[in-house]
Amino acid sequence: MAHVITTACIDCKDGACVPCCPVDCIYEGERTLYIHPDECIDCGICVSACPTQAIYEEHRLPPELTHYIAINREFFGAEVSGLGSPGGAEGRRIACDHPRIALEAPSAAAAR
């Protein structure tokens, strides 16, 4: 079971969760962060570090956010970033987002 980053991270990307991840499975896209579902060890440290409460355990996602399970998984596939499972983000920023994220209207925080 992996953790999932959801809508509250779009255009925020506070990043407090990134350095606390013991397996470096949080990757940065253009507008949001993504947790690699096959690299996440389900420790939950990222949940407590996230100031926007954007991260959930997969099985605790509110029903209106369950589509983020597919978004986080598909981001790493050939159709989106092509990353596969590199075994760690290593601080790299990926110059794309999942198509559903790219279509999201800018958040109020980004407009400031």
Side-chain angles (χ1 to χ4, degrees):
M1 189 70 56
H3 281 74
V4 178
I5 294 178
T6 63
T7 191
C9 187
I10 298 173
D11 297 325
C12 172
K13 295 190 315 184
D14 174 83
C17 59
V18 176
C20 70
C21 179
V23 293
D24 193 29
C25 71
I26 303 172
Y27 294 73
E28 182 180 0
E30 287 290 317
R31 295 183 62 198
T32 194
L33 301 172
Y34 300 87
I35 294 178
H36 196 298
D38 297 331
E39 296 174 2
C40 177
I41 60 171
D42 200 30
C43 68
I45 296 171
C46 58
V47 175
S48 60
C50 180
T52 63
Q53 300 176 332
I55 306 173
Y56 293 85
E57 290 177 84
E58 190 174 306
H59 69 278
R60 293 181 186 231
L61 274 167
E64 67 275 11
L65 297 177
T66 58
H67 62 284
Y68 279 92
I69 295 169
I71 287 172
N72 276 257
R73 180 167 295 284
E74 292 168 3
F75 175 75
F76 298 95
E79 300 80 27
V80 181
S81 71
L83 281 176
S85 188
E90 299 175 353
R92 69 182 131 206
R93 183 173 184 209
I94 313 308
C96 71
D97 272 306
H98 187 280
R100 289 186 72 174
I101 300 299
L103 292 174
E104 289 280 335
S107 71
R112 290 183 205 154

